[in-house]
């Protein structure tokens, strides 16, 4: 009884002393820090005004001499041992003592500048984005004839003030620690024997919380603490058994969910996500930390998925929907209640149909494009055949003309089939590439020689820009020449007489950029994203010849050799096709 009374008196008394000492320490520290900061604010404001008086004539000039302003800022910085910044009315830094003013951000919205703009003088304490240290800033606005012509800002690091405050804190803390230590000694002395059994029990609880389920049972004393120890030992044994069972079941579930290609969410009755598997993370661009124990609305940010879940909650039955996620994944979604196993919870399952839909679209587009491209020559052949059957066959001259037209249409069909087969082989990887070192100039020269006659007939100036010193590239020479010929042929075809086509190559780091630049009709911005699609023609009225497969073949050949291809163009301003290949 006596021990219990002493314990009840000693502990509150010790805590009271400790609280008072800590409160006094905090108060004194804040008071000293506040005093230092006020003195420093006043000093910096006076120095900024003094600089403003001297530097105002430089700012009032019609064309301020930024070199002189910057030099003046550096000189004042040396005199005052502080950072000095001169800022234009629009926030551009005109003078800076510590950094290159040309590399600094616009200071128009800095807190101290904004306050100076409205009140004539502004102050802030913050982390310097330039120097990465805490500083006190004081800014004053400079006016001429009622208008602000600039700002002067003076800044000092708070390290000295903080060091003084820390020194005071150490002193106060030392005193507090000494007084508190004496008080605690009394409490510890009284409570030691009473708390020793509880300490052992606490340590056992901590081990249990850390996962040590097989720890030896504690020995129970013949008192109230002993009863608590017996209850704890019993609870630990039951808990160990239950956790083992749960871990086995959890392992099975985790293995299944980890290997599933379908995305899975489990959302409880409060709309909180309780489970998510890797497939779902990939579909919706999440990770488990962002989703688990978060609101489904907040984590998913996908209204179709949220609507699917809400419909299932309302109907209590399975709901189905299809949609595209924010990360461009086509999904087929199911929502199913998990009653009665998990009352109120909903299972969301999403199947990734992106590849299936892409293949369907590609097949549909391909059939549509082939049908469209075949329609014209077949219709022409049909018309010629009917004309010959109607009597034109008796007219030898007309018959010869129609037969020549038929031959041209058949050649077009043969070329289209050949290019389709070529494109199919390239896309499927069945075209063997003979990758070896080859000179960029050799590739360009051979392509130019093949099309030189065509450019001369079109009255075009064909220019080569390719230095001999360029390093060799890793490429299939014949296939790369095919790419260049396809691009160069288009440039010649769509450039009016008197224009110029330039073909060249230049080194950019570890790649060589090949380019074909023309002064032709150009390509509209609407057509640019589709220019490398098969069968796509920019202007069918001016591109009746050709299959529309040349650039598609060029793109696949370049990508198969580890490069990329793109185009820059504007209507009536010419085009520049560029592709890259790796240096040997």
């Amino acid at each position: 009884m006596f021990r219990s009374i002493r314990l009840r008196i000693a502990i509150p008394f010790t805590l009271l002393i400790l609280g008072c000492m800590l409160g006094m320490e905090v108060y004194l520290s804040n008071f000293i820090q506040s005093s230092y900061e006020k003195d420093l604010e006043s000093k910096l404001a006076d120095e900024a005004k003094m600089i403003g008086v001297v530097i105002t004539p430089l700012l009032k000039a019609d064309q301020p001499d930024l070199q002189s302003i910057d030099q003046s800022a550096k000189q004042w910085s040396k005199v005052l041992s502080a950072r000095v910044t001169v800022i234009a009315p629009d926030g551009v830094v005109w003078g800076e003592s510590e950094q290159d003013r040309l590399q600094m951000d616009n200071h128009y919205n800095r807190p101290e500048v904004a306050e100076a703009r409205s009140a004539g003088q502004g102050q802030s304490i913050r982390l310097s984005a330039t120097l990465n240290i805490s500083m006190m800033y004081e800014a004053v606005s400079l006016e001429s004839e009622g208008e602000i012509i600039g700002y002067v800002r003076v800044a000092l690091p708070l390290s000295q003030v903080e060091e003084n405050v820390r020194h005071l804190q150490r002193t106060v803390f030392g005193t507090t620690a000494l007084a508190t230590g004496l008080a605690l000694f009394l409490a510890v002395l009284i409570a030691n024997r009473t708390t020793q059994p509880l300490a052992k029990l606490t340590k056992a609880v901590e081990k249990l919380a850390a996962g040590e389920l097989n720890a030896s049972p504690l020995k129970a004393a013949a008192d109230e603490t002993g009863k608590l120890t017996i209850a704890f030992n019993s609870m630990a044994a039951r808990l160990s058994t239950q956790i083992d069972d749960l871990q086995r079941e959890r392992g099975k579930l985790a293995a299944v969910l980890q290997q599933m290609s379908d995305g899975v969410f489990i959302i409880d009755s409060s709309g909180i996500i309780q489970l998510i598997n890797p497939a779902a993370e990939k579909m919706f661009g999440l990770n488990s930390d962002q989703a688990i124990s978060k609101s489904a609305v907040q984590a998913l940010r996908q209204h179709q998925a949220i609507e699917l879940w809400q419909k299932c909650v309302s109907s209590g039955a399975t709901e189905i929907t299809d949609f595209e996620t924010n990360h461009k994944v086509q999904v087929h979604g199911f929502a199913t209640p998990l009653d009665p196993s998990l009352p109120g919870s909903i299972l969301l399952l999403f199947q990734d149909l992106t590849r299936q839909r892409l293949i369907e679209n590609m097949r549909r587009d391909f059939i549509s494009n082939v049908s469209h491209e075949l329609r014209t020559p077949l219709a022409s052949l049909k018309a010629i055949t009917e004309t010959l059957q109607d009597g034109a066959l008796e007219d030898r001259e007309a018959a010869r003309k129609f037969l020549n037209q038929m031959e041209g249409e058949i050649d077009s069909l043969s070329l289209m089939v050949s290019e389709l087969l070529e494109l199919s082989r390239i896309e499927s990887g069945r075209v063997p590439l003979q990758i070896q070192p080859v000179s960029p100039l050799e590739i360009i020269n051979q392509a130019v020689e093949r099309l030189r006659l065509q450019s001369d007939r079109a009255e075009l100036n064909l220019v080569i820009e390719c230095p001999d010193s360029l390093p060799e590239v890793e490429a299939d020479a014949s296939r790369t020449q095919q790419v260049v010929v396809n691009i160069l042929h288009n440039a010649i075809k769509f450039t009016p007489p008197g224009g110029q086509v330039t073909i060249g190559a230049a080194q950019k780091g570890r790649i060589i950029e090949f380019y074909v630049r023309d002064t032709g009709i150009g390509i509209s911005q609407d057509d640019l994203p589709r220019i490398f699609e098969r069968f796509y023609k920019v202007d069918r009225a001016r591109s009746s010849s050709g299959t529309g497969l040349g650039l598609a073949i060029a793109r696949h050949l370049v990508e198969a050799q580890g490069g990329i291809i793109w185009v820059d163009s504007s209507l009536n301003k010419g085009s520049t096709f560029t592709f890259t290949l790796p240096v040997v």
Side-chain angles (χ1 to χ4, degrees):
M1 176 66 74
F2 181 69
R3 182 194 302 177
S4 175
I5 294 174
R6 285 187 297 176
L7 185 63
R8 293 177 185 177
I9 295 175
I11 293 178
F13 180 71
T14 303
L15 294 176
L16 178 62
I17 294 175
L18 179 61
C20 291
M21 296 302 293
L22 290 176
M24 183 179 298
E25 178 188 359
V26 172
Y27 173 77
L28 289 176
S29 297
N30 292 337
F31 177 78
I32 295 299
Q33 185 172 2
S34 176
S35 298
Y36 265 90
E37 290 178 358
K38 287 182 179 179
D39 291 343
L40 197 55
E41 287 178 22
S42 178
K43 177 185 174 184
L44 293 179
D46 292 341
E47 291 175 349
K49 292 175 182 177
M50 179 175 62
I51 297 173
V53 172
V54 177
I55 209 170
T56 294
L58 296 176
L59 303 180
K60 292 172 64 176
D62 293 336
Q63 294 292 333
D65 185 351
L66 302 186
Q67 188 67 29
S68 297
I69 294 173
D70 191 57
Q71 188 61 33
S72 179
K74 289 178 170 56
Q75 291 173 353
W76 275 108
S77 175
K78 293 179 181 179
V79 173
L80 300 175
S81 297
R83 182 182 177 185
V84 177
T85 308
V86 180
I87 304 167
D90 60 358
V92 176
V93 177
W94 279 353
E96 166 59 32
S97 62
E98 303 296 330
Q99 297 289 320
D100 182 359
R101 62 181 180 83
L102 298 177
Q103 302 298 323
M104 296 180 67
D105 296 336
N106 189 288
H107 280 41
Y108 187 82
N109 291 322
R110 292 294 196 271
E112 63 276 2
V113 175
E115 187 177 352
R117 186 163 54 250
S118 60
Q121 179 175 323
Q123 182 270 339
S124 70
I125 297 175
R126 57 183 173 80
L127 183 69
S128 171
T130 305
L131 303 179
N132 199 29
I133 60 174
S134 295
M135 301 190 73
M136 174 179 286
Y137 295 92
E138 192 72 31
V140 297
S141 61
L142 306 179
E143 297 186 359
S144 177
E145 297 180 0
E147 294 186 358
I148 295 177
I149 60 173
Y151 306 90
V152 174
R153 188 184 69 178
V154 180
L156 279 177
L158 295 179
S159 57
Q160 186 60 47
V161 176
E162 293 172 350
E163 179 59 31
N164 291 338
V165 172
R166 283 195 294 270
H167 176 72
L168 175 62
Q169 288 174 337
R170 287 193 293 268
T171 302
V172 175
F173 179 76
T175 304
T176 304
L178 181 60
T180 304
L182 294 174
L184 287 176
F185 177 74
L186 177 62
V188 171
L189 189 62
I190 296 173
N192 184 43
R193 291 185 178 178
T194 304
T195 58
Q196 190 173 9
L198 292 176
K200 291 181 180 180
L201 186 58
T202 301
K203 189 174 181 179
V205 172
E206 290 174 349
K207 289 182 178 180
L208 183 63
E212 297 183 25
L213 303 177
N214 298 320
S216 301
L218 297 175
K219 293 182 178 180
D223 56 12
E224 289 79 2
T225 306
K227 294 179 181 179
L228 179 61
T229 302
I230 293 172
F232 170 77
N233 290 335
S234 176
M235 178 194 71
R238 290 197 305 271
L239 185 61
S240 177
T241 302
Q242 292 174 356
I243 289 179
D244 287 342
D245 294 340
L246 288 174
Q247 285 179 341
R248 282 194 295 271
E249 294 299 324
R250 184 180 181 88
K252 296 176 184 178
L253 177 61
V256 172
L257 292 175
Q258 190 76 21
Q259 300 303 321
M260 284 183 66
S261 60
D262 297 338
V264 174
F265 292 89
I266 293 181
I267 304 176
D268 66 15
S269 58
S270 301
I272 304 300
I273 297 176
Q274 299 298 329
L275 183 144
I276 178 174
N277 73 336
E281 294 178 13
K282 183 177 179 181
M283 288 180 186
F284 292 89
L286 302 172
N287 60 55
S288 56
D289 293 336
Q290 293 175 322
I292 298 297
S293 300
K294 300 290 186 2
S295 165
V297 177
Q298 178 185 2
L300 282 175
R301 299 183 181 276
Q302 185 78 45
H303 71 87
Q304 298 95 331
I306 300 302
E307 289 175 358
L308 177 65
W309 164 63
Q310 291 174 339
K311 282 183 180 179
C312 184
V313 172
S314 300
S315 66
T318 300
E319 299 288 342
I320 302 174
T321 188
D322 294 336
F323 61 91
E324 181 181 283
T325 72
N326 296 331
H327 291 76
K328 306 301 180 183
V329 179
Q330 299 283 344
V331 298
H332 182 58
F334 299 83
T336 303
L338 295 179
D339 298 330
S341 300
L342 295 173
S345 295
I346 302 295
L347 169 67
L348 296 182
L349 187 142
F350 298 99
Q351 297 176 341
D352 187 349
L353 303 181
T354 304
R355 181 171 178 78
Q356 178 181 336
R357 297 287 170 79
L358 179 62
I359 292 173
E360 291 174 356
N361 291 336
M362 290 175 63
R363 182 171 60 248
R364 185 166 51 250
D365 291 344
F366 178 76
I367 294 173
S368 175
N369 288 333
V370 170
S371 301
H372 178 80
E373 294 299 328
L374 291 177
R375 185 183 300 119
T376 300
L378 290 176
S380 178
L381 288 173
K382 177 68 174 176
I384 292 172
T385 303
E386 290 175 350
T387 302
L388 290 173
Q389 289 175 342
D390 288 342
L393 191 61
E394 305 301 329
D395 186 342
R396 296 180 62 84
E397 254 184 62
R400 187 179 297 108
K401 177 181 177 182
F402 286 130
L403 288 174
N404 288 336
Q405 291 180 2
M406 290 178 67
E407 183 180 15
E409 296 295 345
I410 292 172
D411 288 342
S412 296
L413 287 172
S414 298
L415 176 62
M416 183 183 303
V417 172
S418 175
E419 291 190 341
L420 277 172
L421 291 174
E422 174 80 354
L423 185 59
S424 176
R425 286 196 295 269
I426 294 172
E427 289 180 338
S428 61
R430 295 199 302 267
V431 175
L433 296 176
Q434 304 297 324
I435 303 296
Q436 58 187 5
V438 60
S439 167
L441 183 59
E442 179 183 347
I443 294 173
I444 291 175
N445 283 337
Q446 292 187 12
V448 169
E449 286 304 316
R450 291 177 60 181
L451 296 175
R452 174 70 72 178
L453 182 59
Q454 184 176 342
S455 68
D456 292 342
R457 287 176 179 173
E459 301 179 9
L460 300 178
N461 182 23
L462 187 56
V463 179
I464 298 177
E465 296 178 350
C466 184
D468 296 336
S469 59
L470 284 180
E472 293 182 325
V473 294
E474 291 276 8
D476 184 318
S478 62
R479 293 295 183 177
T480 305
Q481 289 169 17
Q482 182 181 356
V483 172
V484 176
V485 167
N486 284 351
I487 298 174
L488 188 57
H489 177 268
N490 282 345
I492 294 172
K493 181 178 177 182
F494 294 107
T495 301
Q500 177 172 304
V501 176
T502 304
I503 179 172
Q507 184 173 7
K508 298 292 181 66
R510 296 298 302 166
I511 63 172
I512 298 295
E513 285 190 357
F514 293 81
Y515 57 88
V516 176
R517 184 170 58 248
D518 63 59
T519 58
I521 62 176
I523 305 169
S524 71
Q525 297 302 309
D526 293 335
D527 291 320
L528 280 177
R530 304 188 59 190
I531 196 66
F532 293 103
E533 292 181 11
R534 64 184 94 182
F535 296 115
Y536 191 78
K537 298 180 182 180
V538 173
D539 187 348
R540 296 185 180 273
R542 285 187 278 182
S543 59
S544 56
S545 63
T547 62
L549 296 172
L551 290 180
I553 293 174
R555 186 193 70 179
H556 285 288
L557 285 175
V558 169
E559 292 176 351
Q561 298 180 83
I564 58 174
I565 187 170
W566 70 93
V567 60
D568 298 305
S569 182
S570 299
L571 278 178
N572 303 317
K573 294 184 180 180
S575 305
T576 301
F577 283 81
T578 308
F579 69 91
T580 65
L581 289 175
V583 172
V584 174

